[in-house]
Amino acid sequence: SQKIEQNSEALNIQEGKTATLTCNYTNYSPAYLQWYRQDPGRGPVFLLLIRENEKEKRKERLKVTFDTTLKQSLFHITASQPADSATYLCALDGSGYALNFGKGTSLLVTP
Amino acid sequence: EAQVTQNPRYLITVTGKKLTVTCSQNMNHEYMSWYRQDPGLGLRQIYYSMNVEVTDKGDVPEGYKVSRKEKRNFPLILESPSPNQTSLYFCASSLSGAYGYTFGSGTRLTVV
């Protein structure tokens, strides 16, 4: 069956450090992979999309890598700030036109 | 402002009483989708639509109906709600499958 796996344990890091979150998948052949941020009780907010033929994508302090051989994406936040504390979700295009989400990883950045 | 608007934000209802959660987007997006989010289960897709009059089932469609008569609107209908449909619901829209989705603020539904 198709699976999208993100670290279920919260990631705690110190302000200023780089946070790295992982998304692994099985039984998908995605054309693209997306990352979202979600704050408690609010809707997810789209951050970045990377296509299968792209290795890396950047947006300000965010960087995403996509390795279709390893079936893995890494999401990096450089110079992290307390305001970056949230849950980060990985999403893949599934069968048909479905978009399937992982369960997310909670990030806590402490001053 | 570009947005997806869901109504209501909060709803408490009784088992078996039909309800509709509305969703509207003002971005002329082709794709629209409904998700439910439950603790420990994450976001699960209920139904999605690629265009007017074109809809398809997601992972958890049982007990739900949708319609897409106009491009901007994608209502979620619960014909006979049950307590296991108590959840946080999100509507989302996208220009196409290869673009990020814009999500609504959510509807917290409680069925007693």
Side-chain angles (χ1 to χ4, degrees):
Chain A
S1 62
Q2 293 180 318
K3 285 185 183 177
I4 302 172
E5 294 178 328
Q6 298 185 252
N7 283 350
S8 57
E9 285 187 21
L11 178 63
N12 291 346
I13 65 166
Q14 203 169 16
E15 183 176 8
K17 303 290 188 185
T18 296
T20 299
L21 285 69
T22 304
C23 175
N24 295 298
Y25 59 91
T26 54
N27 294 321
Y28 278 93
S29 296
Y32 49 85
L33 185 147
Q34 304 183 30
W35 283 90
Y36 289 76
R37 169 189 172 134
Q38 187 175 26
D39 293 287
R42 308 193 71 165
V45 174
F46 171 71
L47 296 174
L48 279 168
L49 179 149
I50 185 166
R51 300 176 194 277
E52 61 177 333
N53 59 349
E54 296 175 313
K55 296 291 185 191
E56 181 179 300
K57 201 151 192 182
R58 293 174 185 260
K59 179 183 174 183
E60 297 172 353
R61 293 185 296 113
L62 309 180
K63 184 179 88 170
V64 171
T65 63
F66 192 15
D67 189 327
T68 55
T69 302
L70 289 178
K71 298 187 185 300
Q72 181 180 79
S73 174
L74 298 178
F75 177 80
H76 307 272
I77 306 176
T78 59
S80 59
Q81 304 165 0
D84 295 326
S85 299
T87 296
Y88 291 86
L89 306 169
C90 161
L92 297 173
D93 55 308
S95 57
Y97 295 91
L99 182 66
N100 299 327
F101 283 81
K103 294 179 183 177
T105 298
S106 175
L107 172 67
L108 178 62
V109 182
T110 52
Chain B
E1 181 190 352
Q3 59 185 358
V4 175
T5 303
Q6 291 178 234
N7 279 299
R9 287 293 310 278
Y10 301 91
L11 179 60
I12 301 174
T13 191
V14 296
T15 299
K17 186 177 181 182
K18 180 179 178 179
L19 68 92
T20 299
V21 184
T22 63
C23 175
S24 180
Q25 51 94 3
N26 62 359
M27 296 166 281
N28 201 35
H29 282 171
E30 302 279 340
Y31 283 51
M32 296 188 75
S33 189
W34 276 104
Y35 290 86
R36 61 178 288 174
Q37 188 171 36
D38 303 286
L41 297 177
L43 277 166
R44 294 180 293 167
Q45 195 165 37
I46 303 171
Y47 270 96
Y48 56 93
S49 169
M50 295 75 78
N51 211 329
V52 175
E53 303 290 5
V54 182
T55 63
D56 205 351
K57 296 177 181 177
D59 293 324
V60 288
E62 295 78 21
Y64 304 94
K65 282 176 58 176
V66 293
S67 68
R68 187 96 181 269
K69 293 184 168 53
E70 306 166 279
K71 199 172 187 178
R72 62 184 294 123
N73 295 324
F74 192 42
L76 180 69
I77 302 156
L78 285 72
E79 295 267 0
S80 183
S82 63
N84 65 10
Q85 292 178 299
T86 292
S87 188
L88 179 57
Y89 290 86
F90 289 105
C91 179
S93 74
S94 175
L95 188 60
S96 79
Y99 290 82
Y101 273 77
T102 300
F103 278 76
S105 299
T107 295
R108 190 168 291 280
L109 172 66
T110 303
V111 184
V112 298

